[in-house]
Amino acid sequence: DAGITQSPRHKVTETGTPVTLRCHQTENHRYMYWYRQDPGHGLRLIHYSYGVKDTDKGEVSDGYSVSRSKTEDFLLTLESATSSQTSVYFCAISETGGTNTEAFFGQGTRLTVV
Amino acid sequence: DQQVKQNSPSLSVQEGRISILNCDYTNSMFDYFLWYKKYPAEGPTFLISISSIKDKNEDGRFTVFLNKSAKHLSLHIVPSQPGDSAVYFCAASAPYNTDKLIFGTGTRLQVFP
């Protein structure tokens, strides 16, 4: 299994509070991604990183920010959590990006915003 | 706008029979396609992929077929086993945007004895 650790695995937070999810990898892969999974929507890309300090937006980036100060860590921050951000969040890594390569996923973080 | 669509949210198949999961896409620039399997409370795991230069790729019990003219791909599982019960996602990427995989909404496969 690819060395990807997400923390925390479960979190309940109140509306309006900031939340940070962490993804840690031991594979030294260049690309890291944050997805959210919701019923009827599948997996949707929030943000991704193609190197240290190099990040870009995905299709559902509003309300989220990311940071990558080290190759192994990719942080996802909800600046002010809303109920619509209740979801399961997955981190993924890949060696060379989308084409001709697969992404490896972490086990997910279940976030509930009350 | 959903660029990758899995129109069947669920599928039920008897053990030993063939499972066929379908995926349609709208972006003709997609040139690489993947299937992922996801068990409850786990992250998706890569299953099989296919490049647009091929129309078939086989790996054991799993075969992916690509019909570029119809913008359609399918995953065949033969024979189906109870351990195959999971949610299956198809995903695609385009050469102009190789950093991103676009996922479908998933199909829940249940294989019953």
Side-chain angles (χ1 to χ4, degrees), chain B:
Chain B
D1 183 31
Q2 193 77 26
Q3 297 186 67
V4 179
K5 302 176 184 179
Q6 295 176 256
N7 293 317
S8 298
S10 64
L11 176 67
S12 188
V13 173
Q14 188 173 31
E15 181 178 5
R17 307 293 291 267
I18 184 171
S19 295
I20 300 176
L21 295 90
N22 294 305
C23 180
D24 297 296
Y25 60 95
T26 57
N27 189 341
S28 59
M29 295 299 291
F30 286 148
D31 68 343
Y32 189 64
F33 305 88
L34 308 89
W35 284 94
Y36 282 81
K37 179 170 70 173
K38 185 185 178 304
Y39 293 118
E42 294 184 10
T45 55
F46 171 76
L47 190 58
I48 192 169
S49 63
I50 188 167
S51 166
S52 60
I53 63 174
K54 297 183 177 182
D55 55 17
K56 176 183 174 181
N57 188 27
E58 190 171 356
D59 184 2
R61 297 186 297 114
F62 302 91
T63 303
V64 57
F65 294 92
L66 176 62
N67 183 333
K68 291 185 289 293
S69 61
K71 296 192 183 68
H72 177 83
L73 65 154
S74 60
L75 174 68
H76 293 211
I77 307 174
V78 182
S80 300
Q81 300 173 354
D84 296 329
S85 297
V87 177
Y88 290 79
F89 293 98
C90 65
S93 70
Y96 60 83
N97 204 0
T98 58
D99 296 345
K100 300 178 183 179
L101 283 175
I102 306 299
F103 283 83
T105 52
T107 296
R108 182 178 301 278
L109 173 65
Q110 182 180 7
V111 180
F112 59 93

Side-chain angles (χ1 to χ4, degrees), chain A residues 84-114:
Chain A
S84 65
Q85 293 175 312
T86 292
S87 185
V88 181
Y89 292 85
F90 289 100
C91 173
I93 63 174
S94 71
E95 205 165 356
T96 58
T99 292
N100 296 327
T101 188
E102 60 188 270
F104 300 94
F105 284 80
Q107 291 192 298
T109 295
R110 182 173 295 276
L111 177 68
T112 303
V113 183
V114 297

Side-chain angles (χ1 to χ4, degrees), chain A residues 53-114:
Chain A
K53 294 189 179 2
D54 292 323
T55 65
D56 203 353
K57 295 179 179 180
E59 55 188 311
V60 289
S61 59
D62 288 347
Y64 302 94
S65 63
V66 290
S67 66
R68 190 169 179 200
S69 58
K70 298 184 291 185
T71 298
E72 57 266 34
D73 290 324
F74 193 33
L75 304 180
L76 176 71
T77 297
L78 289 65
E79 302 290 348
S80 177
T82 67
S83 58
S84 65
Q85 293 175 312
T86 292
S87 185
V88 181
Y89 292 85
F90 289 100
C91 173
I93 63 174
S94 71
E95 205 165 356
T96 58
T99 292
N100 296 327
T101 188
E102 60 188 270
F104 300 94
F105 284 80
Q107 291 192 298
T109 295
R110 182 173 295 276
L111 177 68
T112 303
V113 183
V114 297

